[in-house]
Amino acid sequence: MTQAVVVQVGQCGNQVGRRFWDLALREHAAVNKKGIYDEALSSFFRNVDTRSGDDGPDIYEGKICSLKARALLIDMEEGVVNEILQGPLRDVFDSKQLITDVSGSGNNWAVGHKLYGCQYRENIVEKLRKAAEHCDCLQCFFIIHSMGGGTGSGLGTFVLKLLEDEFPEVYRFVTSVYPSGEDDVITSPYNSVLAMKELNEHADCVLPIENESLFDIVNKIHQMISSGKLGSTLKQNSLVTSSAGSTRTVQEKPFDAMNNIVANLLLNLTSSARFEGSLNMDLNEISMNLVPFPRLHYLVSSLTPLYTLADVNVPSRRLDQMFSDAFSRDHQLIQADPKHSLYLACALLVRGNVQVSDLRRNIERLKPSLHFVSWNQEGWKTGLCSVPPVGHSHSLLALANNTCVKPTFIQLKDSFMKLYKKKAHLHHYLHVDGMEQSCFSEAISSLSDLIEEYNELDATKGGPRTEPSRLKIAV
Amino acid sequence: MSIVTVQLGQCGNQIGHEVFSAVCSDVHGTHGLCSRKENDSYHEACKERFFCEEESEVPVARAVLVDMEPKVISQTLSMAARSGSWRYNDRSQFCQKQGSGNNWANGYSVHGPRHKEAIMNLVQKEAEKCDRLGGFFTIMSMAGGTGSGLGAFVTQCLRDAFPTSFILNHVIWPYGTGEVIVQNYNSVLTLSHLYQSSDALLVHENDVVHQICAQRMNIKQISFRDVNRVIAHQLGSVFQPAYTAAGGSCYSRNPLGELMETLVPHPEFKMLGLRNIPQMPENSLAYSTFSWPGLIKHLRQMLIANAKMEEGIDWQVRPPRLGTSCSSSHPTNKLPQFNTSIANLVILRGKDTHSTDLGSFQDPSLYTSWINPQDAFNAWKTPRAFNKYEKSASLVSNSQFLLKPLDNVVGKAWNMFASKAYIHQYTKFGIEEEDFLDSFTALEQVISSYTSL
C-alpha cells in the first residue's frame, strides 16, 4: 500500500485541508470498526506512540494509538493554522509539520514565490524529507492551494517546483482553486497566470476548482433539502451548514460547505487506492490514462450524487441518474460544460454497491451524446471500489480531460491582459527580488501556448475522421 | 503431470482463484454421474494436476501469485482459505507496494527485471514440488500494467528457464468500450511479446463472457465475480482430466502437451478461442436435458459461423465446397463470413460420451488447405460429468475466431499511435516508438497469416 502526503498552502489551502482531514478521519472511523491501524489508514495517517511525547516512534501495526496526518501546513499568516491547532483536529497534526509567518504575502505571487520561497526553502525541504521518511512507499503529493492570492499561489507553486526537484519519482496532484469572475482581489489575474506557468511545467495532474461552481452546488443541495425531496431529517453536524440544525439563508458564502466538496473530491479520488474493489484504480493509473500529452493535464471533476456531499437521509434513487448527472454542467466543479466540448479522456470511479454491468450499461447509454477525440473514441478508464462513502450506498467521481477548461483559461488570459496592458500594479511585483518583466511575458506565453493546444484539438472536433493507413506486410 | 499456474495482476489473481474453486468444487461434487472407480480416478488425476498435498489438511494449489500491489493478493489468499476445501501456499506469493499504473512499460522494463529473481525463485519452488512438470499456465489481462507488462516479461523468463516445458498463456481481452484508456497499446505490446515466448495463447473476451452472463446465465447485475466464474467454468471444462487418444485407458497425464500438439502445428498460429455449451443458471440445470447430437451440431455451427454463444447462431453460414476458394468478399451479395480453422479440439464430458459421433468436425472443408484433416481434429472424452452439467461440450479452436478482435485492437492502437498520444508515458520507462513499431509489425503479420487461411 502506498502513502500520500498533503501539502496545504495559504488560507484557502489550509481551510480546505482542514475539512479534508476531518472527513478522512470520519470515513476511516466508519470503516475501521476495530480500531486497528490498517493499510488503508496508513495511506494518510501515521500511528504514533505519543507516550513519550509528540516525537514518539511510528507504530506500524496493532491498535491505533495516536493518528497523525501526513501533512505539511504552510501559511505566511498565522490565523488559519492557529485556528486549526486550537480546534478539534489539533492532535492530528504534528507540531513540527507547520511553517508559518506573520505578515502574509499581500496577495502578491512574487512575494510568495520569490521572497518566501527563498527564505523558507531549506525549512520546507527538511520537513518534506521528514514526512517522506515516515512513509514506506510514498506515491503521491497532494498540494491544495488557491491561484488568486499570494501565499497559496506563489509559495504553493514554489513548493510544487521543489517537489519535482527533490522527489522526481513521486506524483504531484494539485488541487487549485481558481478565482471567480467577481473576485475581490484585483491582482488575482496576475497571480493566477504566474502560477499557471508553474502548474504547466511541474504538476502531473491539476484539478481546477472554481468557487462559483462550489457555491452553485451548495445552493442546489439547500434547495433539494428545503423542497423536501431528500427527506426531512438533517443530521447533526451536517456538512451543508457549519452549525447544526437550521438551514440558513445563504447570504454570506458558505465556505465550509464549499470546502467540504473539495475535501470529498480528494477522498473519492484516493478511495480505490485505499480500499478494496473488483477493479482497482490507483493514482498512478489516473495520471497514466488521463494525460495523453504532458502539458494537457487539467482534469475537470464532478461528484455525484450531490446528496453524498451533505449529511442527509435519502430515499434510494436510480443508479443511472447518478451517471447522467456526472456529465451535466451543474455538477462540474468548474464553470464548464464537458458535454459540448471535446473529451480527450474520461475516468469514472464508482464507490459502493455498483457492478461492472451497471458501469457498462451507463457508458453505452451516455457515449453517443459525448464527443471524444478521434484517436480515443473509447477513452474510458473505470474503477470500482467496494467501500461507499459514509452513510451512503454509492457515489461516482468523474474526471475528464476535456477542452471545456479552455474558457476558464481564456478568461484568465483576458483579465491578465486588461491589467498588464496598463501595467497596473506591476511595480508591486517587479520590486521583489528575483522578479522581472520576463516572468510575466513567459507566463502569459505559456498560457497562450496551452490555450493554442486546446484550440488545435477543438478544431478536430466533428471533422471527418480519416484513419491512418495500417502497416503493410509483405506476404 | 502437474501444471503450475502463475496468476499475474488483479485480473490474473481474481480469475485464478475462481479456477481453483471451480475445479475443487467439481471434484467434490456428487454429480459425477459415473462409477465410483471412474470418479476416484478423476479425483486423483485432478489432484495431481492442480494441487499438492503437503502436510496440510486441505489441498494446496500449485500456484504462484504475483502482483505489484498487495490488496488483491491478500483478498485472494483469504478467500481461498475461508473456503475450507482448498487453499494457496501463503509463501508462494510476490507483491510490492505500488502497482504498475496500467503502464506496460513499467511492468515490463521496470518491475520485470527488478523482481525477476524473486518471482522465478517462487516458480522454481513450485516446479520442484511436481513429480512431473506438465508445464505452465499463466493467467493475465492484456489491458493493465502488471498482468500485461510484467506478465510478458515473466513468460519470457519462464521460456528461458524452462526451455522444454509447455507454456500456455490465458489472456483476457478487455471490454471494447474501455476499462483502461491505454488498453490497446498494452494489448499490442503484450500480444507481440507473448507470441515470441509462449506456446499458445488461450483467449477470453470480456464482452463475450459478459453477454453469456446476461443472456444465458440470466444475471441481472453482472459483477466481475460473475464474469470470472463463467471463465473458470470454461477453463475447467478444458483442463479437468479427460481421456485423450494418446492416453488410452487412463486419464491423460500430459494435458498441456497434448493440447499444444493437437492445436498448434505451426508457430505462426497460436491464438486459441474457447467455446463451451451448454451454459445456464445453476438452478435451471436440473430441468434441462440435452442430447449429444444437438450439442455437437450447435458447437459445429458456432465454429463455422464464429458465434460467441449458443444463442443467435447464424445458421446460414456454410463451409465452402471443396475446390472453391473460401476467401472473403463476394462481389454480388454479402455472404456471411465463414470461419476457417487450422485445428480443433472438442472435449465432451458426461453421460454416454462413448456413443457420440464427431464426424462432422472432420469435414475437410472446415480446414485450411495446407492442413491434413486427419491431423486437424481431435477429441477428448470422459463419462465423468463436469460441474453439475449432465452433458458439457467444449471447443478449443485454432481458427479465425480472434481475427476480428485482433484486427480491431491493432487498428485502434495504431490510430492512437499516429497521434502520438500517451507515448511519453511509455518512453518514460524505456519503451520507445521503435518498440511499438516492432510490435505493430509482428501483429500485422499474425493478422495477415490468419486472414489468408
Side-chain angles (χ1 to χ4, degrees):
Chain A
M1 189 76 81
T2 53
Q3 288 81 40
V5 172
V6 174
V7 183
Q8 29 194 95
V9 191
Q11 173 178 26
C12 171
N14 279 289
Q15 282 175 336
V16 173
R18 166 170 46 183
R19 296 309 317 139
F20 169 74
W21 290 109
D22 181 40
L23 290 184
L25 280 170
R26 280 210 251 164
E27 184 172 79
H28 281 284
V31 172
N32 189 338
K33 301 285 187 215
K34 298 192 196 133
I36 304 277
Y37 181 66
D38 61 5
E39 299 224 322
L41 259 178
S42 81
S43 59
F44 282 117
F45 296 95
R46 289 165 49 210
N47 187 18
V48 180
D49 185 353
T50 44
R51 284 172 301 183
S52 46
D54 240 9
D55 218 2
D58 275 13
I59 309 170
Y60 292 101
E61 283 178 335
K63 280 211 145 283
I64 293 173
C65 183
S66 172
L67 289 176
K68 295 285 180 202
R70 296 187 194 279
L72 188 51
L73 286 68
I74 303 179
D75 200 356
M76 295 294 99
E77 268 175 341
E78 295 178 312
V80 179
V81 174
N82 278 341
E83 249 183 73
I84 298 179
L85 293 179
Q86 281 153 19
L89 290 177
R90 59 180 166 276
D91 291 326
V92 170
F93 297 104
D94 182 342
S95 53
K96 300 218 186 43
Q97 293 298 93
L98 315 165
I99 299 180
T100 54
D101 201 312
V102 278
S103 27
S105 304
N107 286 326
N108 186 327
W109 186 91
V111 171
H113 195 97
K114 304 280 183 187
L115 185 67
Y116 286 124
C118 204
Q119 193 174 329
Y120 283 99
R121 184 179 211 281
E122 266 175 52
N123 194 348
I124 296 174
V125 173
E126 192 203 311
K127 299 202 153 116
L128 286 172
R129 292 222 161 277
K130 202 73 203 291
E133 272 162 33
H134 285 299
C135 297
D136 205 6
C137 180
L138 177 61
Q139 185 183 48
C140 175
F141 282 107
F142 282 103
I143 297 185
I144 314 178
H145 72 148
S146 69
M147 299 285 276
T151 303
S153 176
L155 189 53
T157 48
F158 179 82
V159 173
L160 176 63
K161 199 155 62 171
L162 206 60
L163 289 175
E164 190 181 38
D165 292 335
E166 301 287 323
F167 305 90
E169 313 271 305
V170 181
Y171 287 95
R172 296 170 291 283
F173 272 73
V174 187
T175 305
S176 307
V177 181
Y178 280 70
S180 50
E182 3 113 337
D183 198 89
D184 39 4
V185 176
I186 305 180
T187 49
S188 66
Y190 282 160
N191 297 331
S192 304
V193 172
L194 288 163
M196 274 294 287
K197 171 163 177 286
E198 307 299 315
L199 292 182
N200 280 343
E201 292 173 17
H202 308 293
D204 285 311
C205 275
V206 179
L207 300 162
I209 315 273
E210 280 180 318
N211 274 340
E212 274 164 84
S213 303
L214 296 180
F215 184 59
D216 290 341
I217 289 174
V218 170
N219 276 338
K220 239 185 134 157
I221 297 176
H222 268 302
Q223 277 169 15
M224 281 159 84
I225 295 169
S226 48
S227 74
K229 273 201 205 147
L230 289 184
S232 50
T233 30
L234 196 60
K235 290 197 195 134
Q236 287 289 62
N237 300 323
S238 154
L239 302 181
V240 175
T241 60
S242 43
S243 55
S246 54
T247 41
R248 45 177 212 233
T249 52
V250 192
Q251 272 158 351
E252 33 169 291
K253 289 202 169 135
F255 279 116
D256 252 3
M258 288 158 65
N259 292 337
N260 271 328
I261 298 177
V262 184
N264 269 301
L265 168 65
L266 288 173
L267 271 186
N268 285 332
L269 188 64
T270 54
S271 60
S272 188
R274 292 175 290 137
F275 302 116
E276 59 184 31
S278 61
L279 188 59
N280 297 333
M281 181 152 94
D282 207 345
L283 291 166
N284 50 5
E285 292 174 27
I286 293 175
S287 163
M288 172 71 179
N289 284 285
L290 292 173
V291 184
F293 300 102
R295 287 176 19 123
L296 301 181
H297 53 244
Y298 294 86
L299 307 178
V300 179
S301 48
S302 68
L303 292 165
T304 55
L306 287 181
Y307 54 79
T308 53
L309 301 167
D311 251 348
V312 288
N313 280 323
V314 187
S316 56
R317 292 177 128 212
R318 279 181 55 232
L319 199 58
D320 289 10
Q321 187 59 43
M322 176 176 80
F323 284 91
S324 305
D325 286 342
F327 293 93
S328 90
R329 113 182 279 167
D330 354 332
H331 286 72
Q332 307 303 317
L333 298 190
I334 63 167
Q335 301 280 290
D337 190 5
K339 259 188 151 153
H340 293 102
S341 304
L342 189 65
Y343 273 92
L344 300 177
C346 183
L348 296 176
L349 213 185
V350 193
R351 295 182 68 172
N353 184 18
V354 183
Q355 301 302 342
V356 62
S357 55
D358 300 312
L359 204 48
R360 308 224 55 74
R361 178 180 69 247
N362 281 289
I363 291 180
E364 292 300 316
R365 186 171 62 88
L366 294 165
K367 213 161 65 108
S369 59
L370 304 170
H371 307 279
F372 274 83
V373 75
S374 66
W375 41 260
N376 206 359
Q377 285 289 301
E378 279 104 14
W380 298 89
K381 165 71 183 154
T382 54
L384 293 165
C385 174
S386 344
V387 177
V390 182
H392 299 284
S393 60
H394 48 251
S395 77
L396 170 66
L397 164 65
L399 292 171
N401 191 340
N402 186 308
T403 56
C404 67
V405 282
K406 204 176 58 168
T408 304
F409 296 155
I410 293 180
Q411 187 189 38
L412 219 53
K413 181 177 172 185
D414 290 343
S415 322
F416 176 95
M417 291 311 291
K418 250 205 217 132
L419 292 175
Y420 193 57
K421 281 210 188 97
K422 303 213 188 92
K423 304 223 185 311
H425 304 284
L426 223 42
H427 55 286
H428 290 137
Y429 289 78
L430 295 177
H431 132 129
V432 175
D433 216 6
M435 193 69 186
E436 288 163 11
Q437 190 97 15
S438 59
C439 297
F440 281 85
S441 47
E442 277 167 22
I444 196 66
S445 131
S446 170
L447 182 57
S448 300
D449 286 345
L450 184 66
I451 294 175
E452 199 38 47
E453 278 187 60
Y454 280 109
N455 276 334
E456 278 172 28
L457 285 164
D458 266 336
T460 68
K461 180 175 164 223
R465 229 182 311 136
T466 46
E467 286 184 14
S469 43
R470 298 267 290 273
L471 288 177
K472 299 265 187 301
I473 303 293
V475 169
Chain B
M1 274 198 185
S2 313
I3 299 176
V4 172
T5 301
V6 184
Q7 313 181 169
L8 297 145
Q10 172 166 30
C11 175
N13 281 292
Q14 284 175 190
I15 292 182
H17 168 260
E18 296 299 342
V19 172
F20 285 107
S21 282
V23 155
C24 208
S25 87
D26 172 43
V27 156
H28 292 303
T30 51
H31 304 265
L33 297 182
C34 59
S35 71
R36 178 73 182 271
K37 186 164 164 254
E38 187 73 67
N39 209 22
D40 287 345
S41 173
Y42 186 81
H43 193 142
E44 279 309 304
C46 169
K47 279 253 284 292
E48 182 198 31
R49 221 172 258 202
F50 297 111
F51 299 95
C52 69
E53 241 11 285
E54 299 205 337
E55 306 87 34
S56 76
E57 315 86 51
V58 287
V60 178
R62 297 186 191 278
V64 179
L65 292 75
V66 179
D67 200 356
M68 291 297 101
E69 62 105 1
K71 295 195 297 285
V72 181
I73 288 190
S74 85
Q75 234 188 337
T76 308
L77 288 174
S78 68
M79 279 202 297
R82 267 179 307 183
S83 73
S85 45
W86 67 279
R87 65 178 183 83
Y88 285 104
N89 176 355
D90 287 332
R91 275 158 297 148
S92 207
Q93 51 138 318
F94 179 81
C95 77
Q96 290 291 281
K97 306 206 182 77
Q98 193 177 172
S100 303
N102 288 164
N103 191 323
W104 194 92
N106 196 6
Y108 186 83
S109 308
V110 177
H111 288 130
R114 199 181 282 175
H115 308 301
K116 173 178 173 173
E117 218 181 293
I119 297 175
M120 290 311 286
N121 270 340
L122 291 175
V123 173
Q124 189 71 40
K125 282 209 183 81
E126 280 299 329
E128 279 163 17
K129 279 195 262 180
C130 304
D131 274 342
R132 281 163 75 199
L133 179 63
F136 297 96
F137 181 58
T138 74
I139 313 180
M140 60 219 274
S141 75
M142 296 197 306
T146 299
S148 70
L150 180 61
F153 186 83
V154 167
T155 304
Q156 224 169 280
C157 295
L158 286 175
R159 176 52 71 215
D160 293 335
F162 301 90
T164 53
S165 293
F166 294 106
I167 302 178
L168 175 65
N169 289 81
H170 178 235
V171 180
I172 297 296
W173 211 268
Y175 286 99
T177 48
E179 292 167 30
V180 170
I181 294 175
V182 291
Q183 62 186 44
N184 298 310
Y185 278 165
N186 292 339
S187 301
V188 163
L189 291 164
T190 305
L191 290 170
S192 58
H193 279 79
L194 286 182
Y195 232 78
Q196 289 164 25
S197 1
S198 171
D199 287 310
L201 279 66
L202 181 58
V203 176
H204 264 111
E205 298 167 73
N206 269 349
D207 281 304
V208 171
V209 183
H210 193 107
Q211 284 293 81
I212 294 177
C213 284
Q215 294 177 239
R216 302 295 308 160
M217 313 295 281
N218 272 335
I219 304 174
K220 294 285 173 268
Q221 207 191 14
I222 301 169
S223 66
F224 271 115
R225 190 121 197 253
D226 298 315
V227 170
N228 293 343
R229 281 195 170 143
V230 171
I231 294 176
H233 170 87
Q234 296 202 346
L235 288 176
S237 76
V238 174
F239 293 108
Q240 283 290 58
Y243 294 103
T244 64
S249 58
C250 61
Y251 279 114
S252 161
R253 306 211 56 212
N254 187 12
L256 281 187
E258 293 189 55
L259 192 93
M260 304 305 182
E261 254 175 52
T262 62
L263 289 172
V264 190
H266 189 297
E268 186 63 18
F269 300 91
K270 289 180 180 171
M271 312 276 299
L272 307 178
L274 174 52
R275 301 281 182 268
N276 168 269
I277 56 173
Q279 293 258 218
M280 67 185 87
E282 198 172 303
N283 45 27
S284 308
L285 280 175
Y287 309 107
S288 322
T289 46
F290 295 88
S291 70
W292 284 122
L295 286 174
I296 292 171
K297 188 164 168 216
H298 274 75
L299 206 54
R300 182 177 183 269
Q301 192 61 24
M302 281 167 75
L303 168 65
I304 296 174
N306 199 353
K308 311 287 189 181
M309 56 180 165
E310 64 256 56
E311 263 175 46
I313 304 177
D314 187 348
W315 291 93
Q316 298 297 329
V317 181
R318 300 246 191 283
R321 244 173 275 136
L322 275 182
T324 61
S325 80
C326 51
S327 62
S328 37
S329 48
H330 206 262
T332 46
N333 52 335
K334 278 186 87 177
L335 270 187
Q337 262 293 55
F338 168 74
N339 183 43
T340 312
S341 303
I342 292 179
N344 288 308
L345 169 64
V346 167
I347 305 166
L348 302 177
R349 300 176 182 276
K351 264 172 80 171
D352 304 325
T353 46
H354 51 271
S355 60
T356 54
D357 172 18
L358 288 161
S360 58
F361 274 95
Q362 286 169 309
D363 181 354
S365 61
L366 261 53
Y367 301 95
T368 186
S369 52
W370 46 266
I371 283 280
N372 181 349
Q374 305 292 64
D375 304 326
F377 177 71
N378 273 280
W380 295 355
K381 300 180 187 181
T382 170
R384 208 277 187 183
F386 170 65
N387 212 9
K388 304 193 187 114
Y389 281 80
E390 180 205 41
K391 297 190 176 81
S392 174
S394 293
L395 167 68
V396 187
S397 173
N398 189 345
S399 63
Q400 293 172 318
F401 263 168
L402 293 156
L403 180 51
K404 192 134 166 280
L406 182 58
D407 192 53
N408 274 343
V409 165
V410 173
K412 288 190 211 164
W414 184 248
N415 194 9
M416 194 182 268
F417 185 67
S419 70
K420 299 283 176 281
Y422 299 101
I423 299 293
H424 71 283
Q425 307 269 19
Y426 291 85
T427 49
K428 194 159 67 172
F429 292 107
I431 295 293
E432 307 293 332
E433 288 189 26
E434 242 176 60
D435 300 306
F436 274 94
L437 284 172
D438 288 342
S439 291
F440 278 114
T441 313
L443 291 183
E444 292 286 3
Q445 182 67 61
V446 174
I447 292 173
S448 164
S449 305
Y450 271 101
T451 310
S452 63
L453 282 182

